[in-house]
Amino acid sequence: MEYWLPVVYMMIMGFALLVYVILDGYDLGVGMLLPLAEADEKDMMVASIGPFWDANETWIVLGVGVLLIAFPLAHGIILSQLYIPVTLMLMGLILRGVAFDLRVKAGDHRKGLWNNAFFVGSVLASVCQGWMLGAWVTGLQGGTVGLLFSALIAVALPALYLLLGCGWLLMKTEGALLGKAIRWARFVVWPMAAGLLLVSIATPLVSSAIAARWFSLPNMLLLAPIPLATAICLVLVFYLLAHPRLLREGLGWALFAAMVLICLLATLGLAYSVFPDVIIGRLDIWESAASVDSLLFTLVGIVITLPVILFYTVYVYRVFHGRATALSYD
C-alpha cells in the first residue's frame, strides 16, 4: 500500500494534466487566433468554446490539487521556484474569464478591448505553461541551458495549442471561418512540428537521466513505437492540410484526433522519462508523498470527485456537440 498509493496519485495527476492540455489547449489556441478574424467571426469563435472552457479549466485545478495533497514537499518546491510564471499564468486565466463575459456586457464600443484582453490572457497563460514545463523537465536547475530550454518550450507549447485551436474550429465552424482555420493551420503546423522536433532533440541533452533511459538497449527498441507513431500523426496532419477539400468535407476531426494522439504520445514518453521522480533528479514520489493515512483519506474524495468531473465533461461535450451557432444573449 505504501508503495502503490503515491503511484496512483501520480497517475491521477498526470491524467488530469494531460486532459487539461488537450481541452484547455484548444480553447487557449482559439483565443490566440482571435485577432486574425473579423468581428462576426470572433463571435463565432467564442461561441465554439463558450460551453466548454470553464469545464476544461477544472482539470488543472484537479491536477494542481493532487500535487498539493499527495506531494506537499514537491508542491512547495515547484511553486516557490516557479512563483513568477505561476502568478502570470493565473493572471492570464483570470483575464480570459473576465474578458469572456465583459466582451458583450460592456457594450459594442468596448468589445474590441475585451477581445484583445482575451487574446492577451490566452497568450500569457500558454507561454507561462510552456515555461513551467521546460523548467520542470530540467529539474528546476536554472542556468543558461535551463533558461534556453524553458524558452523553447514556452514557444513550442503555444504553437501546439494554436494547432489544436485550428483543429477545433475545423470541427465546429463552416464557411469562410472554416477556410481561414485551414489557412491558419497550414501556417502554424510548421513551427509546431519544428518545435516538437527541437524539444525531442533538446530534452535528452538537458537531462542526462532522460538520455540514459531512451538511448540504451533494449529501451531504444521498446520505445521506438512512440516517436514512430508521433511521426505518423504528423504526416497525417500535413496530408490533411495539403488536401483542404478533405477538411471542408468533414475530416477536421481526423486532424484534431491526430493532435490529441500526439499529446498522448508525448505524455507517455515524458512519463517514462521522469518516473518515479516528481522533481527530476531531486525528489521522487515516495520521498515527497504525504503520510499513508492522509493519502488514504483524500483518496476517498478523489474517487468521488474524479468520476463527477469526467461525467460533467462528457455531458457538456455531448449536449453541445456539432457545429457552433451564432452567439445570442436574448
Side-chain angles (χ1 to χ4, degrees):
M1 182 66 71
E2 292 183 6
Y3 178 86
W4 285 107
L5 271 175
V7 176
V8 170
Y9 273 94
M10 192 70 171
M11 292 174 63
I12 294 172
M13 183 174 67
F15 173 74
L17 294 177
L18 169 62
V19 175
Y20 172 78
V21 165
I22 294 170
L23 298 187
D24 207 38
Y26 78 71
D27 70 53
L28 285 166
V30 171
M32 288 187 284
L33 291 168
L34 211 60
L36 303 177
E38 301 297 330
D40 58 331
E41 294 171 340
K42 292 176 182 178
D43 285 343
M44 186 62 71
M45 292 166 71
V46 171
S48 75
I49 63 175
F52 312 108
W53 73 276
D54 53 349
N56 296 342
E57 291 186 352
T58 304
W59 291 97
I60 195 173
V61 176
L62 177 62
V64 176
V66 170
L67 177 64
L68 171 61
I69 292 169
F71 309 108
L73 180 58
H75 179 273
I77 295 173
I78 291 172
L79 292 193
S80 63
Q81 293 280 335
L82 301 177
Y83 182 80
I84 292 177
V86 168
T87 302
L88 291 175
M89 180 194 71
L90 292 176
M91 291 173 62
L93 294 177
I94 292 170
L95 185 60
R96 276 167 48 88
V98 172
F100 190 89
D101 288 330
L102 293 187
R103 65 183 300 275
V104 172
K105 295 178 181 178
D108 291 341
H109 64 294
R110 297 288 186 184
K111 196 171 186 178
L113 171 66
W114 292 112
N115 282 338
N116 292 334
F118 193 74
F119 163 73
V120 171
S122 300
V123 172
L124 185 59
S126 301
V127 170
C128 289
Q129 288 173 14
W131 185 277
M132 288 187 291
L133 177 60
W136 178 73
V137 169
T138 59
L140 306 175
Q141 296 298 323
T144 302
V145 173
L147 292 175
L148 289 174
F149 185 76
S150 297
L152 173 62
I153 307 296
V155 173
L157 189 64
L160 174 67
Y161 286 171
L162 282 167
L163 196 53
L164 281 170
C166 291
W168 180 255
L169 293 176
L170 292 176
M171 295 190 296
K172 301 295 287 186
T173 64
E174 51 192 358
L177 183 53
L178 188 148
K180 286 187 176 182
I182 294 174
R183 292 197 297 272
W184 296 336
R186 295 176 75 173
F187 176 80
V188 79
V189 68
W190 290 102
M192 189 283 297
L196 187 63
L197 177 62
L198 289 174
V199 169
S200 301
I201 295 172
T203 301
L205 295 178
V206 300
S207 175
S208 57
I210 293 177
R213 291 194 173 194
W214 280 83
F215 298 106
S216 59
L217 294 174
N219 293 2
M220 186 181 297
L221 297 177
L222 296 175
L223 295 171
I226 293 179
L228 288 176
T230 303
I232 292 171
C233 289
L234 277 175
V235 169
L236 175 60
V237 170
F238 276 102
Y239 178 81
L240 290 171
L241 291 175
H243 298 81
R245 178 182 58 83
L246 297 176
L247 298 174
R248 294 182 184 276
E249 292 176 354
L251 280 181
W253 66 267
L255 186 145
F256 188 79
M259 294 305 303
V260 169
L261 188 54
I262 288 173
C263 293
L264 175 60
L265 291 167
T267 301
L268 290 175
L270 184 61
Y272 171 79
S273 300
V274 304
F275 184 82
D277 289 352
V278 67
I279 300 179
I280 301 173
R282 296 174 58 182
L283 199 65
D284 66 35
I285 58 176
W286 297 284
E287 293 171 333
S288 60
S291 68
V292 173
D293 289 340
S294 296
L295 294 178
L296 286 172
F297 178 78
T298 53
L299 186 61
V300 176
I302 292 177
V303 167
I304 297 172
T305 303
L306 183 57
V308 171
I309 298 175
L310 277 171
F311 173 79
Y312 172 61
T313 302
V314 172
Y315 179 76
V316 168
Y317 278 85
R318 178 67 184 87
V319 170
F320 295 99
H321 73 284
R323 301 285 180 178
T325 57
L327 281 175
S328 175
Y329 294 91
D330 298 332

